[in-house]
Amino acid sequence: MTLVLLDKTDGVATITLNRPEAMNALSKDLRRELCAACQDVRDDRSIHALIVTGAGERAFTAGLDLKELGESGLGPANDRDAATNPVFALSEMPIPVIGAINGVAITGGFELALACDIRIASTNARFADTHARVGITPGWGLSQKLSRFIGLSRACELSFTGQFLDAKTACEWGLVNHVYDPDQLMPAALALAQDMTTIDRDFLKVYKDLIMTGFERNLADGMAYENQISLPYNADVSMEDVESRRLAIIERGRKLKG
């Protein structure tokens, strides 16, 4: 059975975790296939955006396969190699990554969702951090990212209880951008990704780096980094290109209005 499905259509890649009978749990084999799929997408310059989702409607992913974990230990799960660690494979993606959270995202699955640049969810989506209950500390960034995304107090509540966070509240807290009925989640994700394909891929890479690098720094250092990148980049932009793109923006606005 193929544990990870990869589809490429019209500039958009979709990676689907395909172990629905096991809540799309992240076994070693699935993690390896997921990292390989990410490498495939990274190497394909025709792809402008990536969607990550889970098969079925029950689970995005329930996280690491605890049965396998109990038998063989963590192994390479906590390494920082994009060839074996799916969170780092997604983090190194030069194009936008949209997490279409179709069901539960638990512990390692929560961490995988946090590795996506943009998260949208179905009404079936629920998030939970059960690291404390399992007795394993996060190794994929959740302990640092979650408080930055939803605030320190809310992150502490989730992590110190293991309680579920429903999709509606996740949206109110800013963890996900939008919530859809289950049958509308993938059409919405594809529409969002397709919109991104109309932006130059190389520019998306530069802009994503600006945002993500700045997010990891304090404001002053982030502003300095933006200045460092933008001065030489903008100096190479011709006024003719700016004008043609300005006209394209006006035309796009007219079409959206109509």
Side-chain angles (χ1 to χ4, degrees):
M1 179 181 180
T2 303
L3 299 175
V4 172
L5 306 177
L6 174 59
D7 175 77
K8 299 177 183 179
T9 304
D10 298 330
V12 175
T14 302
I15 289 176
T16 304
L17 311 181
N18 191 37
R19 287 185 76 200
E21 77 289 347
M23 304 285 281
N24 298 320
L26 301 171
S27 64
K28 290 179 182 177
D29 288 341
L30 189 149
R31 297 198 305 271
R32 184 174 60 250
E33 289 189 28
L34 175 54
C35 290
C38 287
Q39 182 64 57
D40 185 307
V41 173
R42 273 199 306 272
D43 292 342
D44 190 340
R45 287 189 52 81
S46 72
I47 301 301
H48 287 235
L50 168 65
I51 299 168
V52 181
T53 193
E57 296 185 353
R58 295 174 60 212
F60 175 65
T61 167
L64 289 176
D65 188 322
L66 292 183
K67 181 179 179 183
E68 182 182 78
L69 192 66
E71 294 172 352
S72 59
L74 277 172
N78 276 356
D79 65 24
R80 300 174 72 86
D81 186 349
T84 52
N85 186 320
V87 164
F88 282 91
L90 289 178
S91 299
E92 292 188 2
M93 195 67 62
I95 56 175
V97 180
I98 301 167
I101 315 302
N102 55 301
V104 296
I106 303 172
T107 311
F110 200 168
E111 301 212 58
L112 197 69
L114 294 179
C116 299
D117 305 321
I118 298 163
R119 286 165 297 280
I120 63 175
S122 87
T123 52
N124 290 337
R126 292 189 299 159
F127 301 84
D129 175 17
T130 62
H131 281 101
R133 293 197 175 277
V134 176
I136 297 174
T137 60
W140 290 350
L142 185 147
S143 67
Q144 306 305 306
K145 291 179 182 178
L146 188 59
S147 61
R148 287 165 168 80
F149 291 163
I150 66 172
L152 181 60
S153 179
R154 287 168 172 168
C156 287
E157 179 181 340
L158 290 181
S159 296
F160 297 164
T161 65
Q163 292 175 354
F164 276 100
L165 178 70
D166 64 87
K168 179 176 179 292
T169 307
C171 191
E172 292 171 352
W173 287 6
L175 185 64
V176 302
N177 291 3
H178 308 283
V179 178
Y180 299 94
D181 289 335
D183 62 344
Q184 293 301 308
L185 178 64
M186 285 309 295
L190 287 165
L192 183 59
Q194 282 291 337
D195 205 16
M196 294 176 185
T197 66
T198 62
I199 305 294
D200 179 79
R201 186 184 190 274
D202 290 332
F203 185 83
L204 279 177
K205 179 180 178 180
V206 171
Y207 209 166
K208 176 174 174 174
D209 173 72
L210 269 180
I211 293 171
M212 297 305 172
T213 301
F215 183 76
E216 294 172 354
R217 303 182 179 188
N218 62 42
L219 180 59
D221 288 346
M223 294 291 286
Y225 183 71
E226 180 188 78
N227 188 63
Q228 172 191 335
I229 298 300
S230 66
L231 282 179
Y233 188 94
N234 290 342
D236 287 337
V237 177
S238 72
M239 290 303 100
E240 291 80 6
D241 286 342
V242 172
E243 178 61 14
S244 67
R245 289 165 186 159
R246 184 186 73 84
L247 294 174
I249 291 170
I250 292 171
E251 183 61 26
R252 179 174 184 267
R254 287 173 179 157
K255 288 179 180 177
L256 291 175
K257 247 177 153 181

